[in-house]
Amino acid sequence: LENTYGGLSGESDKYYQAQIDASKQWADTQQSLQQEQTDFAIEQIEQQKEQANKDYLKEQSGAYTDWQKQSDEYGVNAEKMASQGLYGTGYSESSQVSMYNTYQNRVMTARESYNQAVLAYDNSIKEAKLQNSSVLAEIAYQTMQQQLELSLQGFQYKNNLLLEQANKKVEMDNMYYNRYLDVLN
């Protein structure tokens, strides 16, 4: 009786510990996968941020090139003004100022768009990190809950075994006592 119930008790400990270990492995795997997913999302956002920077530099360069072409004193605009007799007049000067202002506005608009995009990307990164923390906390909570439940089940099973063992022991003692009384009679 002692060997039988002692073996059952030891086996149940192993079984429930294996279940708890499997729960821990599941949690580690889930956390690792979640972290990889978050890292990938952040990497994609960083790539988009780099692309926005390249687009900004391209727009800035394009604006400068266009301004250079328009304001070149030997360019097409200068030829048109000279042919119309406007070269060197106040009109040509105000045209130069207008072209420069247009260039500055394009650069400023591109910079503002870039700054807004960077802010949005930075916010997306923060959101991904917060969401990752939230998911990791949820995984840890679920794992802890599962491990506590398994521990409680193991404890209850072991208590039932001990109670059953005690009842069987009482039955055996009664059986031997009854045999003793039979022999005595």
Side-chain angles (χ1 to χ4, degrees), residues 63-107:
Y64 181 76
T65 302
D66 289 347
W67 174 67
Q68 285 292 325
K69 286 179 184 176
Q70 288 175 347
S71 64
D72 185 11
E73 64 182 273
Y74 301 109
V76 175
N77 283 341
E79 295 275 334
K80 284 182 184 176
M81 288 202 164
S83 69
Q84 293 172 356
L86 298 174
Y87 188 75
T89 65
Y91 180 78
S92 68
E93 291 300 316
S94 63
S95 291
Q96 289 290 329
V97 169
S98 174
M99 287 183 270
Y100 184 75
N101 286 340
T102 302
Y103 159 67
Q104 287 297 323
N105 285 337
R106 276 182 69 184
V107 170

Side-chain angles (χ1 to χ4, degrees), residues 39-132:
D39 291 345
F40 180 65
I42 290 172
E43 183 180 328
Q44 285 181 320
I45 293 168
E46 290 291 346
Q47 289 171 353
Q48 292 169 349
K49 201 168 154 181
E50 286 178 32
Q51 185 59 44
N53 186 34
K54 289 177 184 175
D55 291 346
Y56 163 67
L57 293 176
K58 188 187 300 182
E59 175 60 22
Q60 189 180 29
S61 174
Y64 181 76
T65 302
D66 289 347
W67 174 67
Q68 285 292 325
K69 286 179 184 176
Q70 288 175 347
S71 64
D72 185 11
E73 64 182 273
Y74 301 109
V76 175
N77 283 341
E79 295 275 334
K80 284 182 184 176
M81 288 202 164
S83 69
Q84 293 172 356
L86 298 174
Y87 188 75
T89 65
Y91 180 78
S92 68
E93 291 300 316
S94 63
S95 291
Q96 289 290 329
V97 169
S98 174
M99 287 183 270
Y100 184 75
N101 286 340
T102 302
Y103 159 67
Q104 287 297 323
N105 285 337
R106 276 182 69 184
V107 170
M108 184 180 68
T109 302
R111 183 178 301 126
E112 186 61 32
S113 294
Y114 171 71
N115 288 339
Q116 288 176 357
V118 167
L119 180 63
Y121 292 138
D122 288 344
N123 287 341
S124 295
I125 289 172
K126 286 178 186 174
E127 183 180 337
K129 287 179 180 179
L130 287 173
Q131 185 176 8
N132 182 45

Side-chain angles (χ1 to χ4, degrees), residues 13-14 22 26 30 82 95 105-106 112 136 141 145 181 183:
D13 286 344
K14 288 179 189 174
W26 175 85
Q30 293 302 310
S95 291
N105 285 337
R106 276 182 69 184
E112 186 61 32
L136 290 178
Y141 174 73
Q145 227 176 1
L181 288 178
V183 169

